[in-house]
């Protein structure tokens, strides 16, 4: 199974991605989570390379810090390079769940090129639909370091301008599953699984 989970920060992508990864027994790759944990460790020791972290992730974190802290998207070429190298690794060969990636049309196109090159197909793009008010409320409630009101508002703006067009991108490919994310997590998961079964025919 190969799925991408899309939606705003606070839409519940992380929770759903975890449930789906465990349901389908495939690895989960969450770009936001990878970035945040690498940056948190790097704060402790800014100059030293932490041997616990994959050098690929260290390289990504070094280029991404300012953007994540400001609530802005990390440049496409940085993210695309990282995903490319990560998806070529052996543990991803049998399927995966990508959470928070792609976030721009360019990332989505490059992902398609890469999958074509690998002879792999995407099963579906799941978009968790949640109102702006709920996104703001959930983000501020979890109070991560990149969840100030200013960064939350900037992320919502970016969601509208850069990421929303992916609905059309995947809609056109007939791979889009729009799911109401403002429901209990178990209900959202059940709805996704039901929709995936329909999509698979
Ligand atoms: P998230 O937890 O998915 O909301 O991601 C947190 C932050 O990581 C975002 O605000 C971006 O700065 C960065 N980020 C995560 N995924 C991507 C991506 N696919 N493209 C660009 N930036 C990303």
């Amino acid at each position: 199974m190969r799925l991408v989970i899309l939606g705003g920060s606070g839409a519940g992508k992380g929770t759903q991605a975890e449930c789906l990864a465990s349901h389908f027994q495939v690895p989960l790759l969450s770009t936001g989570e990878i970035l945040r944990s690498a940056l948190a460790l790097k704060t402790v020791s800014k100059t030293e390379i932490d041997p616990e972290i994959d050098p690929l992730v260290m390289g990504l974190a070094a280029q991404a810090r300012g953007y994540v802290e400001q609530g802005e998207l990390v440049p496409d070429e940085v993210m695309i390079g990282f995903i490319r190298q990560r998806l070529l690794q052996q543990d991803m060969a049998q399927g995966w769940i990508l959470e928070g990636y792609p976030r721009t049309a360019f990332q989505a196109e490059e992902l398609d090129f890469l999958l074509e090159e690998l002879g792999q197909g995407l099963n579906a793009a799941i978009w968790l639909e949640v109102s702006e008010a709920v996104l703001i409320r959930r983000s501020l409630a979890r109070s991560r370091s990149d969840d100030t009101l200013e960064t939350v508002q900037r992320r919502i703006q970016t969601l509208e301008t850069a990421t929303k067009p992916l609905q059309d991108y995947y809609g056109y490919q007939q791979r889009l599953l729009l799911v109401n994310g403002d429901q209990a997590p178990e209900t959202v998961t059940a709805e996704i699984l039901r929709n995936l079964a329909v999509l698979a025919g």
Side-chain angles (χ1 to χ4, degrees), residues 22 42 54 83 95 98-100 108 117 131 138 140 151 153 167 171 177 199:
S22 104
K42 268 201 102 190
D54 184 328
I83 289 290
L98 282 187
E99 189 240 307
E117 189 184 319
S131 73
R138 286 190 188 164
L140 294 179
T151 55
Q153 282 170 337
Q167 291 192 2
L177 294 183
L199 200 70

Side-chain angles (χ1 to χ4, degrees), residues 9 13 31-32 35-36 67-68 71-74 79 99-101 103 107 144 146 155:
S9 278
K13 298 191 300 285
T31 47
L35 281 166
R36 260 191 311 277
Y67 300 100
V68 178
E72 281 168 21
L73 289 184
V74 177
M79 295 306 301
E99 189 240 307
Y101 191 94
R103 285 277 234 285
Q107 292 181 11
R144 292 181 325 207
D146 63 332
R155 285 199 304 243

Side-chain angles (χ1 to χ4, degrees), residues 27-119:
L28 164 62
L29 199 65
S30 159
T31 47
E33 189 55 42
I34 289 170
L35 281 166
R36 260 191 311 277
S37 40
L39 290 176
L41 281 172
K42 268 201 102 190
T43 310
V44 181
S45 116
K46 269 194 177 133
T47 49
E48 283 169 37
I49 301 288
D50 191 316
E52 294 286 302
I53 316 182
D54 184 328
L56 184 59
V57 172
M58 288 297 290
L60 172 71
Q63 297 179 76
R65 175 183 291 280
Y67 300 100
V68 178
E69 285 168 352
Q70 302 289 316
E72 281 168 21
L73 289 184
V74 177
D76 279 339
E77 57 278 20
V78 175
M79 295 306 301
I80 289 166
F82 171 75
I83 289 290
R84 180 181 175 82
Q85 293 191 58
R86 191 62 191 85
L87 290 192
L88 287 172
Q89 289 174 356
Q90 198 44 44
D91 61 324
M92 306 300 266
Q94 301 309 319
W96 36 254
I97 309 284
L98 282 187
E99 189 240 307
Y101 191 94
R103 285 277 234 285
T104 64
F106 190 42
Q107 292 181 11
E109 282 171 358
E110 290 292 326
L111 178 62
D112 277 344
F113 291 142
L114 175 60
L115 293 181
E116 201 179 315
E117 189 184 319
L118 293 171

